Amino acid sequence: MPLARPSLRPAAVVALVAAVLACLLAAAPAHGDVPDRVETVIQDDAIFLHESEEGIRAALLQVKELGIDRVRLTAGWSVIAPQPDAAEMPEGFDATDPAAYPHAAWDNLDRAVRLVHEAGLEPMVDIAFWAPLWATKDRAPSPRNRTEVDPQRFADFARAVARRYSGTYATPEALAAVAAKAVDTGSVALAKLLGGRRAAAATQPAGDPEELPAVDLFTIWNEPNHPGFLQPQWVKRGGRWEPRSAELYRDMVFAAYPAIKDAAPAAQVLIGGTASMGSSTPGRSGVPPLRFLRALACVDEQLKPVRTGSCAGFRTIPGDGWAHHPYSLRTRPDVDAADQDKLPVAATSRLARTLRTLVARGRLAPGNAALYQTEYGYETREPDPRAVFSAAEQASLLALAERLGTADGAVRMWPQFLLKDRPGDLPGANNRPFGDWQTGLLLADGTPKPAFSAFKVPAAARCVGRGARREVEVWGRVRGVEAAPQARVELLSGKRWKAVGRAASTPREVRSDETVKRLRMGPGRVRLRWDSGPTAVVRVPDCGGKGTGRG
C-alpha cells in the first residue's frame, strides 16, 4: 500500500520546539547484551560470481561506499560437483578433497572470495543448492535436484568447501607454479655455479604457495523449509502431515556442521537460512518457519520435547547462529502474519524468543540464540509493474524493516538482496510473473533507485506506546563508521529546519552506529544530521500525539 504523506501540524511544532525531549530514550533490547554493532551483508551472485572481474571490482567499490561489511556468496553443489547429472557418483571420487573437483568449477567462487578480501570486505559462503543427481533420490537429472538429499554426501562437499576456504589451502595450480619456479631457480643456480651467462638472471628461491583467503562464516543450505530448495517438505504418517524437510535438514546439519568445523575450526557455521513464509495448510507448499524450527528441535507447540519417530534419541542441534530470511514482500514491514508460525520481519522478536527458549531447554546449541538476518529486500514497480511498492517507497520500507529486524539484542546481521535488479525474463510456466528479482538498490542498467543513497544512512519513524504514552520513535543508523557517532535532531518548521536536540548512541542502549529518540509530536518531518557528515530525513506518521510537550 502507498505510504501516506502526512502534513505537519503547527500546534505540534510549537509544542515540540518548546519542550523537546531532554534525554535519549533508547529501545531496550529484548534480552541480553547488545552487540556493539550489527553487520550488514549483501548478496548478488549474478554480479559477484558471474560478472567480469572489472564489473565485480566496480560493484565492490559501491558496496564499500555503502558501508556494507560482508558479501554473501553461494557455493553451488551441483555447479561444482563432477558429473552432476549422473545417477552414480564418479568412481574413486574423494568428495572431501577440493582438488578432486573439476578445477575450473571453483574459478568463479575463488575469484569472488579473493576480490571481496581485496576490497576490504568479508565473504560469507552458503554451502547450498542444488544437489548433483547422485546425491538425491530424484529419478532424472535437473538443474534443481533436491529430493531426499543424502546428508553424508552433502557433508563431504561441505568439508571440501571449508577446506578450500580455511585460509590454509593452496590450490594445485599454485603448488604447480611454485614447483615450476623452483625448477627454474635451480637451473639458474647451476648456470651461476658454472659461470654461464644466465647467472645474472638468478632469482631467489620460490616462497610458499599463495593460499586462498579464509572465509570465517558459512551457512548450511538455503531455505530448507521452501519446496524450491529441499523436497519433500511434508510426509503423511498416521493420517497426519508432518514436516519431512525438518527431518532431512536435521540430518544434514548433524553431518555437515562437524565436517565444516573440522576443516575450518575458526569459522562460524550458521544453520537455518529459513524462508519467512510457508503454507498454513499442512501438506501444501513449504513448512512455515516456526513450525519447521519446532520440528527440527523436536518440540511440540508448547516447546515441550517430542521423543517419538525421528526424534527418538534426540541430540542437541549444533550451530553457531540461526540464519533467517524475514521477507515481507507484499506488506509493510510492521505487518505481522495472521499465521504465527510465519515469520516476516515484524515477527523478529517472536523468532528470537523461541530461539532463546530452545537454547535454554537444551534443544539448540547455545550459539543458536544469535540471530542472523541474511536475506531481505523489496521489489519495486519500477521496473516490475506487478510489484506492490514504488521505488520511492522502497527506501523508507527498507529502513523501517531494518529497525524492526534489528531491535532485538540477539540480532547480529542485517541483509540486502540485491545490489542491482535482474533483467526481467519473459514470463513462463517456470518463471515468476516478471522474470527475476527486482529488489536491487540499482536498476538493471545501473541507475540508482532512491534506496541506493538512503541505504548508507537509513532512518525510520514509527508509533510506540499506548494511550497517553503514545510517542514517535525516530531511529537512524550510519554505516561505515568506527566511533560511536551522534545525530543532531532537527524538525521541519515551515521551510526551515530547527534543532530540537541531539541523540547520542551508547553501546549500553543501542548499537554504536545507531541512534534512537522518542518524541511527542504530530505528523511531519524530522532530520538526523550525523557528526560524520551524512543526513537523513524521515517522515513522521500520525501517532495521535497532541503536542503536549512531554517526552
Side-chain angles (χ1 to χ4, degrees), residues 294-305:
R294 292 197 303 267
L296 179 73
C298 290
V299 296
D300 61 17
E301 291 185 3
Q302 286 72 46
L303 305 187
K304 295 180 179 180

Side-chain angles (χ1 to χ4, degrees), residues 200-216:
T203 60
Q204 295 297 318
D208 293 333
E210 180 183 0
E211 296 169 349
L212 285 164
V215 172
D216 65 355

Side-chain angles (χ1 to χ4, degrees), residues 430-449:
N430 297 318
N431 293 337
R432 303 175 75 243
F434 188 77
D436 219 309
W437 288 86
Q438 315 298 322
T439 55
L441 303 177
L442 307 169
L443 295 173
D445 64 3
T447 302
K449 299 180 185 179

Side-chain angles (χ1 to χ4, degrees), residues 409-439:
V411 179
R412 300 292 188 266
M413 181 174 285
W414 181 254
Q416 168 58 30
F417 184 90
L418 305 153
L419 176 61
K420 185 187 293 186
D421 285 347
R422 294 295 306 278
D425 299 324
L426 293 175
N430 297 318
N431 293 337
R432 303 175 75 243
F434 188 77
D436 219 309
W437 288 86
Q438 315 298 322
T439 55

Side-chain angles (χ1 to χ4, degrees), residues 329-330 379-390 438:
L329 281 170
R330 304 191 68 81
E379 294 192 285
T380 60
R381 285 199 296 270
E382 307 87 355
D384 185 350
R386 298 173 186 256
V388 177
F389 301 105
S390 70
Q438 315 298 322

Side-chain angles (χ1 to χ4, degrees), residues 183-391:
V183 170
D184 184 62
T185 302
S187 65
V188 169
L190 179 61
K192 183 176 182 180
L193 179 66
L194 297 176
R197 294 181 177 179
R198 293 180 61 191
T203 60
Q204 295 297 318
D208 293 333
E210 180 183 0
E211 296 169 349
L212 285 164
V215 172
D216 65 355
L217 189 62
F218 295 97
T219 308
I220 295 177
W221 210 249
N222 177 78
E223 298 191 355
N225 63 319
H226 190 294
F229 299 101
L230 190 63
Q231 290 187 356
Q233 285 289 305
W234 303 89
V235 63
K236 201 165 191 178
R237 297 185 180 122
R240 296 181 58 187
W241 287 105
E242 297 178 2
R244 174 61 178 154
S245 56
E247 299 171 348
L248 292 168
Y249 189 65
R250 189 189 309 131
D251 290 342
M252 292 169 69
V253 169
F254 275 130
Y257 179 85
I260 298 169
K261 298 293 279 189
D262 183 59
Q268 287 183 283
V269 181
L270 307 184
I271 67 170
T274 40
S276 65
M277 296 294 146
S279 176
S280 298
T281 303
R284 296 183 184 177
S285 189
V287 179
L290 206 57
R291 179 164 185 176
F292 178 88
L293 174 56
R294 292 197 303 267
L296 179 73
C298 290
V299 296
D300 61 17
E301 291 185 3
Q302 286 72 46
L303 305 187
K304 295 180 179 180
V306 173
R307 298 185 175 89
T308 58
S310 67
C311 291
F314 174 80
R315 294 177 289 150
T316 301
I317 307 294
D320 302 325
W322 184 267
H324 182 60
H325 304 166
Y327 279 113
S328 50
L329 281 170
R330 304 191 68 81
T331 61
R332 286 176 49 90
D334 49 3
V335 176
D336 201 352
D339 182 345
Q340 295 288 282
D341 280 344
K342 298 179 181 180
L343 297 172
V345 69
T348 295
S349 61
R350 185 162 68 249
L351 172 57
R353 286 195 306 270
T354 303
L355 291 172
R356 288 191 285 267
T357 300
L358 293 175
V359 166
R361 296 183 182 181
R363 312 309 287 183
L364 299 178
N368 290 317
L371 177 55
Y372 292 74
Q373 313 273 36
T374 56
E375 189 175 320
Y376 192 82
Y378 270 105
E379 294 192 285
T380 60
R381 285 199 296 270
E382 307 87 355
D384 185 350
R386 298 173 186 256
V388 177
F389 301 105
S390 70

Side-chain angles (χ1 to χ4, degrees), residues 48-316:
F48 299 117
L49 291 179
H50 302 293
E51 281 269 8
S52 67
E53 183 166 325
E54 180 183 6
I56 296 171
R57 289 184 186 278
L60 288 171
L61 280 176
Q62 292 176 307
V63 167
K64 186 79 171 178
E65 290 170 1
L66 289 171
I68 293 171
D69 306 288
R70 284 190 184 269
V71 177
R72 179 178 171 222
L73 304 165
T74 302
W77 189 9
S78 60
V79 172
I80 297 171
Q83 301 178 32
D85 292 338
E88 299 294 332
M89 187 172 74
E91 186 175 353
F93 170 56
D94 181 2
T96 67
D97 181 5
Y101 291 76
H103 294 176
W106 295 105
D107 285 352
N108 286 3
L109 189 55
D110 285 353
R111 180 182 63 174
V113 169
R114 282 195 174 105
L115 292 178
V116 167
H117 268 281
E118 286 178 14
L121 303 166
E122 293 293 332
M124 68 176 288
V125 171
D126 282 5
I127 306 173
F129 59 94
W130 286 273
L133 179 62
W134 45 259
T136 72
K137 291 186 178 179
D138 285 305
R139 297 181 179 180
S142 162
R144 300 183 177 186
N145 289 119
R146 58 194 183 277
T147 302
E148 297 280 347
V149 172
D150 186 303
Q152 188 54 55
R153 290 186 174 179
F154 173 68
D156 290 344
F157 173 65
R159 181 184 292 273
V161 174
R163 282 180 64 186
R164 192 171 186 91
Y165 304 110
S166 63
T168 60
Y169 182 81
T171 66
E173 295 83 357
L175 292 171
V178 169
K181 189 173 182 181
V183 170
D184 184 62
T185 302
S187 65
V188 169
L190 179 61
K192 183 176 182 180
L193 179 66
L194 297 176
R197 294 181 177 179
R198 293 180 61 191
T203 60
Q204 295 297 318
D208 293 333
E210 180 183 0
E211 296 169 349
L212 285 164
V215 172
D216 65 355
L217 189 62
F218 295 97
T219 308
I220 295 177
W221 210 249
N222 177 78
E223 298 191 355
N225 63 319
H226 190 294
F229 299 101
L230 190 63
Q231 290 187 356
Q233 285 289 305
W234 303 89
V235 63
K236 201 165 191 178
R237 297 185 180 122
R240 296 181 58 187
W241 287 105
E242 297 178 2
R244 174 61 178 154
S245 56
E247 299 171 348
L248 292 168
Y249 189 65
R250 189 189 309 131
D251 290 342
M252 292 169 69
V253 169
F254 275 130
Y257 179 85
I260 298 169
K261 298 293 279 189
D262 183 59
Q268 287 183 283
V269 181
L270 307 184
I271 67 170
T274 40
S276 65
M277 296 294 146
S279 176
S280 298
T281 303
R284 296 183 184 177
S285 189
V287 179
L290 206 57
R291 179 164 185 176
F292 178 88
L293 174 56
R294 292 197 303 267
L296 179 73
C298 290
V299 296
D300 61 17
E301 291 185 3
Q302 286 72 46
L303 305 187
K304 295 180 179 180
V306 173
R307 298 185 175 89
T308 58
S310 67
C311 291
F314 174 80
R315 294 177 289 150
T316 301

